[in-house]
Each structure stands twice: as C-alpha cells, then as structure tokens.
Coordinates of all heavy atoms in Angstrom, one line a residue:
M3 N -11.7 -15.7 39.2 CA -10.3 -15.5 39.2 C -9.7 -16.0 37.8 O -8.9 -15.3 37.3 CB -9.7 -16.2 40.3 CG -8.2 -15.9 40.5 SD -8.0 -14.1 40.9 CE -6.5 -14.2 41.7
K4 N -10.2 -17.0 37.3 CA -9.7 -17.5 36.0 C -10.0 -16.5 34.9 O -9.2 -16.3 34.0 CB -10.4 -18.8 35.7 CG -9.9 -20.0 36.5 CD -10.5 -21.3 36.1 CE -10.1 -22.4 37.0 NZ -10.7 -23.7 36.7
R5 N -11.1 -15.8 34.9 CA -11.4 -14.8 33.8 C -10.4 -13.7 33.9 O -10.0 -13.2 32.9 CB -12.9 -14.3 34.0 CG -13.9 -15.4 33.6 CD -15.2 -14.8 33.7 NE -16.2 -15.8 33.4 CZ -17.5 -15.7 33.6 NH1 -18.0 -14.6 34.1 NH2 -18.3 -16.7 33.4
L6 N -10.1 -13.2 35.1 CA -9.2 -12.1 35.2 C -7.8 -12.5 34.7 O -7.2 -11.7 34.0 CB -9.1 -11.7 36.7 CG -8.1 -10.6 37.0 CD1 -8.5 -9.3 36.3 CD2 -8.0 -10.3 38.5
I7 N -7.3 -13.7 34.9 CA -6.0 -14.1 34.4 C -6.0 -14.2 32.9 O -5.1 -13.7 32.3 CB -5.6 -15.5 35.0 CG1 -5.3 -15.3 36.6 CG2 -4.4 -16.1 34.3 CD1 -5.2 -16.6 37.3
F8 N -7.1 -14.7 32.3 CA -7.2 -14.7 30.9 C -7.2 -13.4 30.3 O -6.5 -13.1 29.3 CB -8.5 -15.5 30.5 CG -8.7 -15.5 29.0 CD1 -7.9 -16.3 28.2 CD2 -9.6 -14.6 28.4 CE1 -8.1 -16.3 26.8 CE2 -9.8 -14.6 27.1 CZ -9.1 -15.4 26.3
L9 N -7.9 -12.4 30.9 CA -7.9 -11.1 30.4 C -6.5 -10.4 30.5 O -6.1 -9.8 29.5 CB -8.9 -10.3 31.2 CG -9.1 -8.8 30.9 CD1 -9.6 -8.7 29.4 CD2 -10.0 -8.1 31.9
V10 N -5.8 -10.6 31.5 CA -4.5 -10.1 31.6 C -3.5 -10.6 30.5 O -2.8 -9.9 29.9 CB -3.9 -10.3 33.0 CG1 -2.4 -9.9 33.0 CG2 -4.7 -9.5 34.0
V11 N -3.6 -12.0 30.2 CA -2.8 -12.6 29.2 C -3.2 -12.0 27.9 O -2.4 -11.7 27.0 CB -3.0 -14.1 29.3 CG1 -2.3 -14.8 28.1 CG2 -2.4 -14.6 30.6
A12 N -4.5 -11.9 27.6 CA -5.0 -11.4 26.3 C -4.5 -10.0 26.1 O -4.1 -9.6 24.9 CB -6.5 -11.5 26.2
V13 N -4.6 -9.1 27.0 CA -4.2 -7.7 26.9 C -2.7 -7.7 26.7 O -2.1 -6.9 25.8 CB -4.5 -6.9 28.2 CG1 -3.9 -5.5 28.1 CG2 -6.0 -6.7 28.2
A14 N -1.9 -8.5 27.4 CA -0.4 -8.5 27.2 C -0.1 -9.0 25.8 O 0.8 -8.4 25.2 CB 0.2 -9.4 28.2
A15 N -0.8 -9.9 25.3 CA -0.5 -10.4 23.9 C -0.8 -9.3 22.9 O -0.1 -9.1 22.0 CB -1.3 -11.7 23.6
I16 N -1.9 -8.6 23.1 CA -2.2 -7.5 22.1 C -1.1 -6.4 22.3 O -0.7 -5.9 21.3 CB -3.6 -6.9 22.5 CG1 -4.7 -7.9 22.1 CG2 -3.8 -5.6 21.7 CD1 -6.1 -7.6 22.6
M17 N -0.7 -6.0 23.4 CA 0.3 -5.0 23.6 C 1.6 -5.5 22.9 O 2.3 -4.7 22.3 CB 0.5 -4.7 25.1 CG -0.6 -4.0 25.7 SD -0.4 -3.8 27.5 CE 1.1 -2.9 27.5
F18 N 2.0 -6.7 23.1 CA 3.3 -7.3 22.5 C 3.2 -7.1 21.0 O 4.2 -6.7 20.3 CB 3.5 -8.7 22.9 CG 4.7 -9.3 22.3 CD1 6.0 -8.9 22.7 CD2 4.6 -10.2 21.3 CE1 7.1 -9.4 22.2 CE2 5.7 -10.8 20.7 CZ 7.0 -10.4 21.2
T19 N 2.1 -7.6 20.3 CA 2.1 -7.6 18.9 C 2.0 -6.2 18.3 O 2.5 -5.9 17.2 CB 0.9 -8.4 18.4 OG1 -0.3 -7.9 18.9 CG2 1.0 -9.9 18.7
S20 N 1.5 -5.3 19.0 CA 1.3 -3.9 18.5 C 2.6 -3.1 18.7 O 2.8 -2.0 18.1 CB 0.2 -3.1 19.1 OG 0.4 -3.0 20.5
C21 N 3.6 -3.7 19.4 CA 4.9 -2.9 19.7 C 6.0 -3.4 18.8 O 7.1 -3.0 18.9 CB 5.3 -3.2 21.1 SG 4.2 -2.4 22.3
K22 N 5.7 -4.3 17.8 CA 6.8 -4.8 16.9 C 7.2 -3.6 16.0 O 6.4 -2.9 15.5 CB 6.2 -5.9 16.0 CG 6.0 -7.2 16.8 CD 5.6 -8.3 15.9 CE 5.4 -9.6 16.6 NZ 4.9 -10.7 15.7
K23 N 8.5 -3.4 16.0 CA 9.0 -2.3 15.2 C 9.4 -2.8 13.8 O 9.7 -3.9 13.6 CB 10.3 -1.8 15.9 CG 10.1 -1.1 17.2 CD 11.3 -0.5 17.7 CE 11.0 0.2 19.0 NZ 12.1 1.0 19.6
E24 N 9.1 -1.9 12.9 CA 9.4 -2.1 11.5 C 10.4 -1.2 10.9 O 10.4 0.0 11.4 CB 8.1 -2.1 10.6 CG 7.2 -3.2 10.9 CD 6.0 -3.3 10.0 OE1 5.7 -2.3 9.3 OE2 5.5 -4.3 9.8
Y25 N 11.3 -1.6 10.0 CA 12.3 -0.8 9.5 C 12.3 -1.0 8.0 O 11.9 -2.0 7.5 CB 13.7 -1.2 10.0 CG 13.8 -0.9 11.5 CD1 13.7 -1.9 12.4 CD2 14.0 0.4 12.0 CE1 13.8 -1.7 13.8 CE2 14.0 0.7 13.3 CZ 13.9 -0.3 14.3 OH 14.0 -0.1 15.6
T26 N 12.8 0.1 7.3 CA 12.9 0.1 5.9 C 14.3 -0.3 5.4 O 15.2 0.4 5.8 CB 12.4 1.4 5.3 OG1 11.1 1.7 5.7 CG2 12.5 1.5 3.7
I27 N 14.4 -1.2 4.5 CA 15.7 -1.6 3.9 C 15.6 -1.2 2.4 O 14.7 -1.6 1.7 CB 16.0 -3.1 4.0 CG1 16.0 -3.6 5.5 CG2 17.3 -3.5 3.3 CD1 17.0 -2.9 6.3
I28 N 16.6 -0.3 2.0 CA 16.6 0.1 0.6 C 17.9 -0.5 0.0 O 19.0 -0.4 0.5 CB 16.7 1.6 0.5 CG1 15.5 2.2 1.2 CG2 16.9 2.1 -0.9 CD1 15.6 3.8 1.4
V29 N 17.7 -1.2 -1.2 CA 18.7 -1.8 -1.9 C 18.8 -1.2 -3.2 O 17.8 -1.2 -3.9 CB 18.6 -3.4 -2.0 CG1 19.8 -4.0 -2.6 CG2 18.3 -4.0 -0.6
Q30 N 19.9 -0.6 -3.6 CA 20.0 0.2 -4.8 C 21.3 -0.1 -5.6 O 22.3 -0.3 -4.9 CB 19.7 1.7 -4.6 CG 20.6 2.3 -3.7 CD 20.2 3.7 -3.3 OE1 19.0 4.1 -3.3 NE2 21.2 4.5 -2.9
S31 N 21.2 0.0 -6.8 CA 22.4 -0.2 -7.7 C 23.1 1.1 -7.9 O 22.5 2.1 -7.9 CB 21.9 -0.7 -9.1 OG 23.0 -0.8 -10.0
N32 N 24.4 1.0 -7.9 CA 25.2 2.2 -8.2 C 25.0 2.8 -9.6 O 25.0 4.0 -9.9 CB 26.7 2.0 -8.1 CG 27.1 1.9 -6.6 OD1 26.4 2.2 -5.7 ND2 28.3 1.3 -6.4
N33 N 24.7 1.8 -10.5 CA 24.5 2.2 -11.9 C 23.5 1.1 -12.5 O 24.0 -0.1 -12.6 CB 25.8 2.3 -12.6 CG 25.7 2.7 -14.1 OD1 24.7 2.5 -14.7 ND2 26.6 3.4 -14.6
E34 N 22.3 1.5 -12.9 CA 21.4 0.5 -13.4 C 21.8 -0.1 -14.7 O 21.3 -1.2 -15.0 CB 20.0 1.1 -13.5 CG 19.4 1.5 -12.2 CD 18.0 2.0 -12.2 OE1 17.4 2.0 -13.3 OE2 17.5 2.5 -11.2
S35 N 22.7 0.4 -15.5 CA 23.2 -0.2 -16.6 C 24.2 -1.4 -16.3 O 24.4 -2.3 -17.2 CB 23.9 0.8 -17.6 OG 25.1 1.3 -17.0
W36 N 24.7 -1.4 -15.1 CA 25.5 -2.5 -14.6 C 24.7 -3.7 -14.2 O 25.2 -4.8 -14.1 CB 26.4 -2.1 -13.5 CG 27.4 -1.0 -13.9 CD1 27.7 -0.5 -15.1 CD2 28.1 -0.2 -12.9 NE1 28.6 0.4 -15.0 CE2 28.9 0.7 -13.7 CE3 28.2 -0.1 -11.6 CZ2 29.7 1.7 -13.1 CZ3 29.0 0.8 -11.0 CH2 29.8 1.7 -11.7
G37 N 23.5 -3.5 -13.7 CA 22.7 -4.5 -13.1 C 21.6 -4.0 -12.2 O 21.4 -2.8 -12.0
S38 N 20.8 -4.9 -11.6 CA 19.7 -4.6 -10.7 C 19.9 -5.3 -9.4 O 20.8 -6.1 -9.2 CB 18.4 -5.0 -11.4 OG 18.4 -6.4 -11.6
V39 N 19.1 -4.9 -8.4 CA 19.2 -5.4 -7.1 C 17.8 -5.9 -6.6 O 16.8 -5.5 -7.2 CB 19.8 -4.4 -6.1 CG1 21.3 -4.2 -6.5 CG2 19.0 -3.1 -6.1
E40 N 17.7 -6.7 -5.6 CA 16.5 -7.0 -5.0 C 16.6 -7.2 -3.5 O 17.7 -7.3 -2.9 CB 16.0 -8.4 -5.6 CG 17.0 -9.5 -5.4 CD 16.7 -10.8 -6.1 OE1 15.7 -10.7 -7.0 OE2 17.3 -11.8 -5.9
G41 N 15.5 -7.0 -2.8 CA 15.4 -7.1 -1.3 C 14.9 -5.9 -0.6 O 14.7 -5.9 0.6
S42 N 14.6 -4.8 -1.3 CA 14.1 -3.6 -0.6 C 12.8 -3.9 -0.1 O 11.9 -4.7 -0.6 CB 14.0 -2.4 -1.6 OG 15.3 -2.0 -2.0
G43 N 12.4 -3.3 1.1 CA 11.1 -3.4 1.7 C 11.1 -3.0 3.1 O 12.1 -2.5 3.6
T44 N 9.9 -3.2 3.7 CA 9.7 -2.9 5.1 C 9.6 -4.2 5.9 O 8.9 -5.1 5.4 CB 8.5 -2.0 5.3 OG1 8.6 -0.8 4.5 CG2 8.2 -1.7 6.8
Y45 N 10.4 -4.4 6.9 CA 10.5 -5.6 7.6 C 10.4 -5.4 9.1 O 10.8 -4.3 9.6 CB 11.9 -6.3 7.3 CG 12.1 -6.6 5.8 CD1 12.8 -5.7 5.0 CD2 11.5 -7.7 5.2 CE1 13.0 -5.9 3.7 CE2 11.7 -8.0 3.9 CZ 12.4 -7.0 3.1 OH 12.7 -7.3 1.8
T46 N 10.0 -6.4 9.8 CA 9.9 -6.4 11.3 C 11.3 -6.5 11.8 O 12.1 -7.3 11.3 CB 9.0 -7.5 11.8 OG1 7.7 -7.4 11.2 CG2 8.8 -7.5 13.3
K47 N 11.6 -5.8 12.9 CA 12.9 -5.9 13.5 C 13.3 -7.4 13.8 O 12.4 -8.2 14.2 CB 12.9 -5.1 14.9 CG 14.3 -5.1 15.5 CD 14.2 -4.2 16.7 CE 15.7 -4.1 17.4 NZ 15.7 -3.2 18.4
R48 N 14.5 -7.7 13.6 CA 15.1 -9.0 13.8 C 14.8 -10.1 12.7 O 15.1 -11.2 12.9 CB 14.9 -9.5 15.2 CG 15.6 -8.7 16.3 CD 15.6 -9.3 17.6 NE 16.2 -8.4 18.6 CZ 15.5 -7.6 19.4 NH1 14.2 -7.6 19.3 NH2 16.2 -6.8 20.3
T49 N 14.1 -9.6 11.7 CA 13.8 -10.5 10.6 C 15.1 -10.7 9.8 O 15.9 -9.9 9.5 CB 12.7 -9.9 9.6 OG1 11.6 -9.7 10.4 CG2 12.5 -10.8 8.5
V50 N 15.4 -12.0 9.4 CA 16.5 -12.3 8.5 C 16.0 -12.2 7.0 O 15.1 -12.9 6.7 CB 17.1 -13.7 8.8 CG1 18.2 -13.9 7.8 CG2 17.6 -13.8 10.2
I51 N 16.7 -11.3 6.3 CA 16.3 -11.1 4.9 C 17.4 -11.4 4.0 O 18.6 -11.5 4.4 CB 15.7 -9.7 4.6 CG1 16.7 -8.6 4.8 CG2 14.5 -9.5 5.4 CD1 16.4 -7.3 4.2
S52 N 17.2 -11.6 2.7 CA 18.3 -11.8 1.7 C 18.2 -10.6 0.7 O 17.1 -10.2 0.3 CB 18.0 -13.1 1.0 OG 19.0 -13.3 0.0
I53 N 19.4 -10.0 0.4 CA 19.4 -9.0 -0.6 C 20.4 -9.6 -1.7 O 21.3 -10.3 -1.4 CB 19.9 -7.7 -0.1 CG1 21.3 -7.7 0.5 CG2 18.9 -7.1 0.9 CD1 21.8 -6.3 0.8
G54 N 20.1 -9.2 -2.9 CA 21.0 -9.7 -4.0 C 21.2 -8.7 -5.2 O 20.4 -7.8 -5.3
A55 N 22.2 -8.9 -5.8 CA 22.5 -8.1 -7.0 C 22.6 -9.0 -8.2 O 23.1 -10.1 -8.2 CB 23.9 -7.4 -6.9
I56 N 21.9 -8.6 -9.4 CA 21.9 -9.3 -10.6 C 22.6 -8.5 -11.6 O 22.2 -7.4 -12.1 CB 20.4 -9.6 -11.0 CG1 19.7 -10.3 -9.9 CG2 20.4 -10.3 -12.3 CD1 18.9 -9.5 -9.0
S57 N 23.8 -9.0 -12.1 CA 24.6 -8.3 -13.0 C 24.1 -8.4 -14.4 O 23.6 -9.5 -14.8 CB 26.1 -8.8 -13.0 OG 26.6 -8.7 -11.7
N58 N 24.2 -7.4 -15.2 CA 23.8 -7.4 -16.6 C 25.0 -8.1 -17.3 O 26.1 -8.2 -16.8 CB 23.6 -6.0 -17.1 CG 22.3 -5.4 -16.7 OD1 21.4 -6.2 -16.3 ND2 22.1 -4.1 -16.7
N59 N 24.8 -8.5 -18.6 CA 25.8 -9.1 -19.4 C 27.0 -8.1 -19.5 O 26.9 -7.0 -19.7 CB 25.3 -9.4 -20.8 CG 24.3 -10.6 -20.8 OD1 24.4 -11.4 -19.9 ND2 23.4 -10.6 -21.8
G60 N 28.2 -8.7 -19.3 CA 29.4 -8.0 -19.4 C 29.8 -7.4 -18.1 O 30.9 -6.7 -18.0
Y61 N 29.1 -7.5 -17.0 CA 29.4 -7.0 -15.7 C 29.5 -8.0 -14.6 O 28.8 -9.1 -14.8 CB 28.4 -5.9 -15.3 CG 28.5 -4.6 -16.2 CD1 27.6 -4.5 -17.3 CD2 29.4 -3.7 -16.0 CE1 27.6 -3.4 -18.1 CE2 29.4 -2.5 -16.8 CZ 28.6 -2.5 -17.9 OH 28.6 -1.4 -18.7
Q62 N 30.2 -7.8 -13.6 CA 30.2 -8.8 -12.5 C 30.1 -8.0 -11.2 O 30.7 -7.0 -11.0 CB 31.6 -9.5 -12.5 CG 31.8 -10.6 -11.5 CD 33.1 -11.3 -11.7 OE1 33.8 -11.2 -12.7 NE2 33.5 -12.0 -10.6
F63 N 29.3 -8.6 -10.3 CA 29.2 -8.0 -8.9 C 30.5 -8.0 -8.2 O 31.3 -9.0 -8.2 CB 28.1 -8.8 -8.1 CG 28.0 -8.4 -6.7 CD1 27.3 -7.2 -6.3 CD2 28.7 -9.0 -5.6 CE1 27.2 -6.8 -5.0 CE2 28.6 -8.6 -4.3 CZ 27.9 -7.5 -4.1
A64 N 30.8 -6.8 -7.6 CA 32.1 -6.7 -6.8 C 31.9 -6.7 -5.4 O 32.4 -7.6 -4.7 CB 32.8 -5.4 -7.2
K65 N 31.1 -5.8 -4.8 CA 30.9 -5.7 -3.3 C 29.7 -4.8 -3.1 O 29.4 -3.9 -3.8 CB 32.1 -5.3 -2.6 CG 32.6 -3.9 -3.0 CD 33.9 -3.5 -2.3 CE 34.3 -2.1 -2.7 NZ 35.5 -1.6 -2.1
W66 N 29.2 -4.9 -1.8 CA 28.3 -3.9 -1.3 C 29.1 -2.7 -0.8 O 30.3 -2.8 -0.6 CB 27.5 -4.6 -0.2 CG 26.7 -5.8 -0.7 CD1 27.0 -7.1 -0.5 CD2 25.4 -5.7 -1.4 NE1 26.1 -7.9 -1.2 CE2 25.1 -7.1 -1.7 CE3 24.6 -4.7 -1.9 CZ2 23.9 -7.4 -2.4 CZ3 23.5 -5.0 -2.6 CH2 23.2 -6.4 -2.9
D67 N 28.4 -1.6 -0.5 CA 29.0 -0.4 0.0 C 29.7 -0.6 1.3 O 30.6 0.2 1.6 CB 28.1 0.8 0.0 CG 26.9 0.6 0.9 OD1 26.6 -0.6 1.3 OD2 26.1 1.5 1.1
D68 N 29.4 -1.6 2.1 CA 30.1 -1.8 3.3 C 31.2 -2.8 3.2 O 31.9 -3.2 4.2 CB 29.1 -2.3 4.4 CG 28.5 -3.6 4.1 OD1 28.7 -4.3 3.1 OD2 27.7 -4.1 4.9
G69 N 31.6 -3.2 2.0 CA 32.7 -4.0 1.7 C 32.4 -5.5 1.6 O 33.2 -6.3 1.2
N70 N 31.2 -5.9 2.1 CA 30.8 -7.3 2.0 C 30.7 -7.8 0.6 O 30.2 -7.1 -0.3 CB 29.5 -7.5 2.7 CG 29.1 -9.0 2.9 OD1 28.9 -9.6 1.9 ND2 28.9 -9.4 4.1
T71 N 31.2 -9.0 0.3 CA 31.3 -9.5 -1.1 C 30.3 -10.7 -1.3 O 30.3 -11.2 -2.4 CB 32.7 -10.0 -1.5 OG1 33.1 -11.0 -0.6 CG2 33.7 -8.8 -1.5
D72 N 29.5 -11.0 -0.3 CA 28.5 -12.0 -0.4 C 27.4 -11.7 -1.4 O 26.8 -10.5 -1.2 CB 28.0 -12.5 0.9 CG 29.0 -13.1 1.8 OD1 30.0 -13.6 1.3 OD2 28.7 -13.1 3.0
N73 N 27.0 -12.5 -2.3 CA 25.8 -12.2 -3.2 C 25.2 -13.5 -3.6 O 25.8 -14.2 -4.3 CB 26.4 -11.4 -4.4 CG 25.1 -11.0 -5.3 OD1 24.1 -10.6 -4.8 ND2 25.3 -11.1 -6.6
P74 N 24.0 -13.7 -3.1 CA 23.2 -12.8 -2.2 C 23.8 -12.9 -0.8 O 24.6 -13.7 -0.5 CB 21.8 -13.4 -2.2 CG 22.0 -14.9 -2.6 CD 23.2 -14.9 -3.5
R75 N 23.3 -12.0 0.0 CA 23.7 -12.0 1.4 C 22.5 -11.9 2.4 O 21.4 -11.3 2.0 CB 24.7 -10.9 1.7 CG 24.1 -9.5 1.7 CD 25.1 -8.4 1.9 NE 25.4 -8.1 3.3 CZ 26.0 -7.0 3.7 NH1 26.4 -6.1 2.8 NH2 26.2 -6.8 4.9
S76 N 22.7 -12.4 3.6 CA 21.6 -12.3 4.5 C 21.9 -11.1 5.5 O 23.0 -10.9 5.8 CB 21.6 -13.6 5.4 OG 21.2 -14.7 4.6
I77 N 20.8 -10.5 5.9 CA 20.9 -9.4 6.8 C 19.9 -9.6 7.9 O 18.8 -10.0 7.6 CB 20.6 -8.0 6.0 CG1 21.6 -7.8 5.0 CG2 20.5 -6.8 7.0 CD1 21.3 -6.7 4.1
I78 N 20.3 -9.3 9.1 CA 19.3 -9.2 10.2 C 18.9 -7.7 10.4 O 19.7 -6.9 10.6 CB 19.9 -9.7 11.6 CG1 20.4 -11.1 11.4 CG2 18.9 -9.6 12.7 CD1 21.2 -11.7 12.6
V79 N 17.6 -7.5 10.2 CA 17.1 -6.2 10.2 C 17.1 -5.6 11.7 O 16.4 -6.2 12.6 CB 15.6 -6.1 9.6 CG1 15.0 -4.8 9.8 CG2 15.6 -6.6 8.2
E80 N 17.8 -4.6 11.9 CA 17.9 -4.0 13.2 C 17.6 -2.5 13.2 O 17.3 -1.8 14.2 CB 19.3 -4.1 13.8 CG 19.7 -5.6 14.1 CD 18.9 -6.2 15.3 OE1 18.4 -5.4 16.1 OE2 18.8 -7.4 15.4
K81 N 17.6 -1.9 11.9 CA 17.4 -0.4 11.8 C 17.1 -0.1 10.3 O 17.3 -1.0 9.5 CB 18.6 0.4 12.3 CG 19.8 0.1 11.6 CD 21.0 0.8 12.1 CE 22.3 0.5 11.3 NZ 23.5 1.2 11.8
N82 N 16.7 1.1 10.0 CA 16.6 1.5 8.6 C 18.0 1.5 8.0 O 19.0 1.8 8.7 CB 16.0 2.9 8.5 CG 14.6 3.0 8.9 OD1 13.9 2.0 8.8 ND2 14.3 4.1 9.5
A83 N 18.1 0.9 6.8 CA 19.4 0.8 6.2 C 19.3 0.9 4.7 O 18.3 0.6 4.1 CB 20.1 -0.5 6.6
T84 N 20.5 1.4 4.0 CA 20.5 1.4 2.6 C 21.8 0.6 2.2 O 22.8 0.8 2.8 CB 20.6 2.9 2.1 OG1 19.5 3.5 2.5 CG2 20.7 2.9 0.6
Y85 N 21.6 -0.2 1.2 CA 22.7 -1.0 0.6 C 22.9 -0.7 -0.8 O 21.9 -0.5 -1.5 CB 22.5 -2.5 0.8 CG 22.5 -2.9 2.3 CD1 21.3 -2.9 3.0 CD2 23.7 -3.2 2.9 CE1 21.3 -3.2 4.4 CE2 23.7 -3.6 4.3 CZ 22.5 -3.6 5.0 OH 22.5 -3.9 6.3

C-alpha cells in the first residue's frame, strides 16, 4: 500500500510541474533614440518581474502605454503582454 501512495504522489507532482503556463512579455521603446528598455522574456504565470526604461541623454521617461509612471515597475505575469 505504501508504494501505491508514493506512486500517486509522484505522478501528481509530474502533472503539476508540466502544467505550468508560460507567457511572453514584450517591452519596447516608442523611439530607440529616446532610450532603451529591459524586461522582455518568457515567464511562468504569476511570476513577479521588473521592467524598466533607460533614457538617453536629453530625454526623460514619462509613462508606460497604460499610463503607469513607475520606472522600474513590477508586473505579475498573467498573460502575454506588450509594454
């Protein structure tokens, strides 16, 4: 009986790890002469990531396309997204 219980637990663990969803986050600059960005990648769902904008000389970060002004900012990955 102990072997059967272990087998069920092991199979459940394998099924859980193989079901983790991954999403793509794209971070892009409106104009590369104004500056660059970081944080693009593929991440597991519910991962907290940081994205950031690095302004070139003479420019200043204003906001993300969703109006958020935090730089850098934290995002909880829930779906594919572009910033």
